[in-house]
Amino acid sequence: MRVLVIYGTQRKGSTYHITQRFLEKLCDGENDIKEFFLPKDSPNFCRGCFQCFTDNAKCPDYQYIKRILESMQEAELIIFTSPVYVYHVTGQMKAFLDHFGFQWMAHQPNETMFRKQALIISTAAGAGTKSTMKDIVDSFNFWGVARIHKYGVNVAAIDWDQVSNKKKIQIQNKVEKLAVKIKGKSKKVTPSLKVKGLFYIMRFMQRKFRFNEPDVKHWESHGWLGKKRPWKD
Protein backbone atom coordinates (compact mmCIF):
# COMPACT_ATOMS: atom_id res chain seq x y z
CA MET A 1 0.00 0.00 0.00
CA ARG A 2 1.36 3.43 -0.99
CA VAL A 3 1.21 5.73 2.04
CA LEU A 4 1.81 9.43 2.54
CA VAL A 5 2.41 10.73 6.07
CA ILE A 6 2.16 14.36 7.18
CA TYR A 7 3.57 14.81 10.68
CA GLY A 8 2.22 17.80 12.60
CA THR A 9 5.53 18.25 14.38
CA GLN A 10 9.21 17.49 13.83
CA ARG A 11 9.47 16.03 17.32
CA LYS A 12 9.71 12.25 17.19
CA GLY A 13 7.69 11.44 20.27
CA SER A 14 4.74 9.15 20.95
CA THR A 15 2.76 10.19 17.87
CA TYR A 16 5.72 9.46 15.60
CA HIS A 17 6.46 6.06 17.15
CA ILE A 18 2.83 4.94 16.90
CA THR A 19 2.77 6.05 13.27
CA GLN A 20 5.84 3.95 12.58
CA ARG A 21 4.04 0.91 13.96
CA PHE A 22 1.17 1.52 11.58
CA LEU A 23 3.60 1.80 8.67
CA GLU A 24 5.19 -1.52 9.59
CA LYS A 25 1.78 -3.20 9.29
CA LEU A 26 0.53 -1.33 6.23
CA CYS A 27 3.53 -1.14 3.91
CA ASP A 28 5.77 -3.69 2.26
CA GLY A 29 8.86 -1.50 2.36
CA GLU A 30 10.28 2.02 2.52
CA ASN A 31 9.56 2.60 -1.18
CA ASP A 32 5.83 2.61 -0.34
CA ILE A 33 6.21 5.47 2.16
CA LYS A 34 6.58 9.22 1.73
CA GLU A 35 6.91 11.36 4.84
CA PHE A 36 6.72 15.11 5.36
CA PHE A 37 7.42 16.91 8.61
CA LEU A 38 5.88 20.22 9.60
CA PRO A 39 6.90 22.97 9.70
CA LYS A 40 10.09 21.99 7.83
CA ASP A 41 8.33 20.86 4.65
CA SER A 42 5.69 23.61 4.63
CA PRO A 43 7.03 26.42 6.80
CA ASN A 44 4.78 29.39 6.03
CA PHE A 45 1.41 30.63 7.17
CA CYS A 46 -1.36 31.15 4.62
CA ARG A 47 -1.36 34.83 3.60
CA GLY A 48 -5.05 34.97 2.79
CA CYS A 49 -4.29 36.23 -0.72
CA PHE A 50 -7.07 34.12 -2.35
CA GLN A 51 -4.77 33.21 -5.26
CA CYS A 52 -5.44 29.49 -4.76
CA PHE A 53 -9.14 30.03 -5.44
CA THR A 54 -8.37 31.19 -8.96
CA ASP A 55 -5.33 28.99 -9.63
CA ASN A 56 -3.65 27.05 -6.81
CA ALA A 57 -0.32 27.22 -8.69
CA LYS A 58 -0.31 30.96 -7.92
CA CYS A 59 -0.08 30.33 -4.18
CA PRO A 60 3.10 32.05 -2.87
CA ASP A 61 3.97 28.76 -1.16
CA TYR A 62 3.29 26.53 -4.16
CA GLN A 63 6.91 25.32 -4.13
CA TYR A 64 6.03 23.46 -0.91
CA ILE A 65 2.41 22.64 -1.66
CA LYS A 66 3.08 21.17 -5.12
CA ARG A 67 5.25 18.23 -4.08
CA ILE A 68 3.03 17.37 -1.12
CA LEU A 69 -0.09 17.57 -3.29
CA GLU A 70 1.48 15.30 -5.91
CA SER A 71 2.43 12.77 -3.22
CA MET A 72 -1.09 12.97 -1.82
CA GLN A 73 -2.58 12.16 -5.20
CA GLU A 74 -0.28 9.17 -5.69
CA ALA A 75 -0.96 7.66 -2.25
CA GLU A 76 -3.61 5.06 -1.53
CA LEU A 77 -3.68 6.04 2.14
CA ILE A 78 -2.91 9.45 3.63
CA ILE A 79 -1.94 9.67 7.29
CA PHE A 80 -2.05 12.96 9.18
CA THR A 81 -0.65 13.04 12.71
CA SER A 82 -0.72 15.60 15.47
CA PRO A 83 -0.05 15.53 19.17
CA VAL A 84 -2.55 17.55 21.22
CA TYR A 85 -1.63 21.21 21.61
CA VAL A 86 -4.16 22.98 23.89
CA TYR A 87 -6.93 20.58 22.79
CA HIS A 88 -6.28 21.11 19.08
CA VAL A 89 -3.80 20.35 16.30
CA THR A 90 -0.37 21.90 16.30
CA GLY A 91 -0.13 25.41 14.88
CA GLN A 92 1.95 24.13 11.97
CA MET A 93 -0.72 21.54 11.08
CA LYS A 94 -3.42 24.23 11.10
CA ALA A 95 -1.26 26.44 8.87
CA PHE A 96 -0.79 23.49 6.51
CA LEU A 97 -4.52 22.75 6.30
CA ASP A 98 -5.21 26.43 5.58
CA HIS A 99 -3.16 26.09 2.38
CA PHE A 100 -5.56 23.44 1.09
CA GLY A 101 -8.77 25.44 1.33
CA PHE A 102 -8.89 25.49 -2.47
CA GLN A 103 -9.65 21.76 -2.63
CA TRP A 104 -12.62 21.88 -0.29
CA MET A 105 -15.76 20.73 -2.06
CA ALA A 106 -17.13 24.27 -1.94
CA HIS A 107 -14.37 25.20 -4.39
CA GLN A 108 -12.25 22.84 -6.50
CA PRO A 109 -12.32 19.32 -5.04
CA ASN A 110 -9.56 16.90 -5.96
CA GLU A 111 -11.08 13.90 -7.74
CA THR A 112 -8.50 11.47 -6.32
CA MET A 113 -9.66 12.09 -2.74
CA PHE A 114 -12.99 10.37 -3.37
CA ARG A 115 -11.15 7.05 -3.76
CA LYS A 116 -8.77 7.31 -0.83
CA GLN A 117 -8.63 6.22 2.75
CA ALA A 118 -7.17 8.43 5.45
CA LEU A 119 -5.90 7.78 8.96
CA ILE A 120 -5.62 10.41 11.69
CA ILE A 121 -3.31 9.69 14.61
CA SER A 122 -3.19 11.81 17.74
CA THR A 123 -1.64 11.40 21.17
CA ALA A 124 -1.87 13.30 24.42
CA ALA A 125 -0.33 12.98 27.84
CA GLY A 126 -3.86 13.49 29.14
CA ALA A 127 -6.99 14.51 27.21
CA GLY A 128 -7.83 16.24 23.94
CA THR A 129 -7.33 13.72 21.15
CA LYS A 130 -10.99 13.84 20.10
CA SER A 131 -11.07 17.60 19.48
CA THR A 132 -7.63 17.47 17.89
CA MET A 133 -8.63 14.80 15.39
CA LYS A 134 -11.82 16.72 14.56
CA ASP A 135 -9.69 19.60 13.26
CA ILE A 136 -8.35 17.24 10.60
CA VAL A 137 -11.61 15.34 10.06
CA ASP A 138 -13.30 18.59 8.99
CA SER A 139 -10.79 19.07 6.17
CA PHE A 140 -10.86 15.41 5.12
CA ASN A 141 -14.65 15.42 4.88
CA PHE A 142 -14.72 18.57 2.79
CA TRP A 143 -11.83 17.31 0.64
CA GLY A 144 -14.05 14.35 -0.19
CA VAL A 145 -11.83 11.67 1.38
CA ALA A 146 -13.79 8.45 0.97
CA ARG A 147 -13.06 6.70 4.27
CA ILE A 148 -11.58 8.25 7.42
CA HIS A 149 -10.07 6.19 10.25
CA LYS A 150 -9.03 7.67 13.58
CA TYR A 151 -6.72 6.57 16.35
CA GLY A 152 -6.33 8.78 19.40
CA VAL A 153 -4.67 7.63 22.59
CA ASN A 154 -3.81 9.17 25.94
CA VAL A 155 -0.35 7.82 26.68
CA ALA A 156 0.00 9.24 30.23
CA ALA A 157 3.55 10.35 29.46
CA ILE A 158 5.39 13.24 27.83
CA ASP A 159 7.78 11.05 25.87
CA TRP A 160 7.60 7.63 24.21
CA ASP A 161 10.32 6.22 26.48
CA GLN A 162 8.13 7.04 29.49
CA VAL A 163 5.07 5.20 28.16
CA SER A 164 4.45 2.06 30.23
CA ASN A 165 4.97 -1.37 28.67
CA LYS A 166 1.34 -2.20 29.42
CA LYS A 167 0.18 0.84 27.47
CA LYS A 168 2.54 0.02 24.58
CA ILE A 169 1.09 -3.49 24.32
CA GLN A 170 -2.44 -2.04 24.26
CA ILE A 171 -1.38 0.40 21.54
CA GLN A 172 0.21 -2.35 19.46
CA ASN A 173 -2.93 -4.49 19.64
CA LYS A 174 -5.11 -1.60 18.46
CA VAL A 175 -2.64 -0.69 15.71
CA GLU A 176 -2.74 -4.25 14.38
CA LYS A 177 -6.57 -4.39 14.38
CA LEU A 178 -6.97 -1.03 12.67
CA ALA A 179 -4.28 -1.84 10.11
CA VAL A 180 -6.14 -5.03 9.17
CA LYS A 181 -9.35 -3.02 8.75
CA ILE A 182 -7.65 -0.44 6.52
CA LYS A 183 -6.03 -3.07 4.33
CA GLY A 184 -9.30 -4.95 4.07
CA LYS A 185 -11.07 -1.89 2.68
CA SER A 186 -8.29 -1.02 0.24
CA LYS A 187 -9.57 -3.24 -2.58
CA LYS A 188 -12.70 -1.16 -3.15
CA VAL A 189 -12.86 2.30 -1.59
CA THR A 190 -16.14 4.16 -1.94
CA PRO A 191 -17.16 7.44 -0.26
CA SER A 192 -19.19 7.48 2.92
CA LEU A 193 -22.78 8.74 2.85
CA LYS A 194 -21.60 11.95 4.53
CA VAL A 195 -19.07 12.67 1.79
CA LYS A 196 -21.62 11.92 -0.92
CA GLY A 197 -24.15 14.15 0.81
CA LEU A 198 -21.67 17.03 0.98
CA PHE A 199 -20.86 16.55 -2.69
CA TYR A 200 -24.50 16.87 -3.71
CA ILE A 201 -25.01 19.94 -1.55
CA MET A 202 -21.96 21.63 -3.08
CA ARG A 203 -23.04 20.56 -6.56
CA PHE A 204 -26.38 22.29 -5.99
CA MET A 205 -24.59 25.43 -4.79
CA GLN A 206 -22.31 25.49 -7.84
CA ARG A 207 -25.22 25.05 -10.26
CA LYS A 208 -27.50 27.62 -8.60
CA PHE A 209 -25.23 30.42 -7.35
CA ARG A 210 -21.95 30.26 -9.35
CA PHE A 211 -20.13 32.31 -6.70
CA ASN A 212 -16.62 31.90 -8.11
CA GLU A 213 -16.23 31.28 -11.83
CA PRO A 214 -12.97 29.26 -11.56
CA ASP A 215 -14.79 26.91 -9.15
CA VAL A 216 -17.71 26.51 -11.57
CA LYS A 217 -15.33 25.83 -14.46
CA HIS A 218 -13.57 23.19 -12.37
CA TRP A 219 -16.85 21.38 -11.69
CA GLU A 220 -17.95 21.72 -15.32
CA SER A 221 -14.62 20.44 -16.68
CA HIS A 222 -15.03 17.22 -14.65
CA GLY A 223 -18.64 16.78 -15.70
CA TRP A 224 -19.86 16.87 -12.09
CA LEU A 225 -22.63 19.37 -12.81
CA GLY A 226 -23.96 16.72 -15.19
CA LYS A 227 -24.08 12.96 -14.64
CA LYS A 228 -20.43 12.21 -13.80
CA ARG A 229 -19.33 11.60 -10.23
CA PRO A 230 -15.77 11.63 -8.85
CA TRP A 231 -16.11 8.19 -7.26
CA LYS A 232 -17.08 6.46 -10.49
CA ASP A 233 -14.82 5.54 -13.43
Side-chain angles (χ1 to χ4, degrees), residues 7-16 37-38 83 85 92 158-160:
Y7 294 97
T9 176
Q10 290 173 225
R11 181 175 184 265
K12 294 183 177 181
S14 297
T15 313
Y16 172 84
F37 292 85
L38 303 176
Y85 280 22
Q92 48 266 37
I158 61 172
D159 191 82
W160 183 246

Side-chain angles (χ1 to χ4, degrees), residues 55-66:
D55 180 356
N56 69 77
K58 293 180 179 178
C59 171
D61 298 317
Y62 191 63
Q63 58 178 315
Y64 303 108
I65 300 306
K66 181 176 184 292

Side-chain angles (χ1 to χ4, degrees), residues 1-201:
M1 180 179 286
R2 298 186 304 278
V3 179
L4 166 73
V5 188
I6 306 291
Y7 294 97
T9 176
Q10 290 173 225
R11 181 175 184 265
K12 294 183 177 181
S14 297
T15 313
Y16 172 84
H17 282 87
I18 291 171
T19 304
Q20 293 302 304
R21 278 152 180 75
F22 271 106
L23 294 177
E24 289 170 3
K25 297 298 178 182
L26 292 167
C27 303
D28 294 327
E30 291 184 3
N31 291 335
D32 290 335
I33 304 167
K34 287 189 178 180
E35 297 174 297
F36 293 93
F37 292 85
L38 303 176
K40 176 176 67 70
D41 292 312
S42 183
N44 299 326
F45 287 102
C46 170
R47 295 159 177 77
C49 66
F50 286 91
Q51 291 296 321
C52 64
F53 295 116
T54 56
D55 180 356
N56 69 77
K58 293 180 179 178
C59 171
D61 298 317
Y62 191 63
Q63 58 178 315
Y64 303 108
I65 300 306
K66 181 176 184 292
R67 62 196 185 105
I68 296 176
L69 180 59
E70 288 174 348
S71 297
M72 231 185 253
Q73 292 175 158
E74 293 168 358
E76 296 169 89
L77 172 71
I78 53 177
I79 300 177
F80 277 33
T81 83
S82 179
V84 174
Y85 280 22
V86 293
Y87 263 49
H88 292 284
V89 292
T90 63
Q92 48 266 37
M93 176 60 80
K94 177 60 169 66
F96 175 80
L97 292 172
D98 288 345
H99 279 88
F100 283 82
F102 69 89
Q103 72 173 21
W104 273 46
M105 271 190 268
H107 300 288
Q108 299 168 33
N110 186 326
E111 184 174 13
T112 67
M113 296 297 159
F114 293 85
R115 298 170 183 153
K116 291 190 190 303
Q117 296 190 86
L119 169 62
I120 302 167
I121 301 170
S122 181
T123 67
T129 59
K130 185 176 180 180
S131 53
T132 296
M133 291 189 292
K134 186 181 182 302
D135 291 340
I136 303 173
V137 167
D138 288 341
S139 281
F140 281 173
N141 278 327
F142 279 93
W143 287 3
V145 174
R147 297 288 166 175
I148 302 169
H149 308 276
K150 296 177 290 184
Y151 181 58
V153 57
N154 303 328
V155 296
I158 61 172
D159 191 82
W160 183 246
D161 291 338
Q162 297 177 17
V163 177
S164 69
N165 287 333
K166 180 181 178 181
K167 176 66 73 171
K168 287 179 178 178
I169 292 170
Q170 291 173 348
I171 290 170
Q172 186 64 32
N173 289 337
K174 290 188 177 181
V175 165
E176 291 176 1
K177 289 180 181 177
L178 185 50
V180 168
K181 181 179 179 181
I182 293 170
K183 292 180 81 170
K185 289 184 177 293
S186 65
K187 294 183 175 67
K188 185 173 177 58
V189 182
T190 56
S192 65
L193 288 176
K194 181 171 186 175
V195 167
K196 286 184 177 181
L198 286 170
F199 175 86
Y200 284 114
I201 291 170

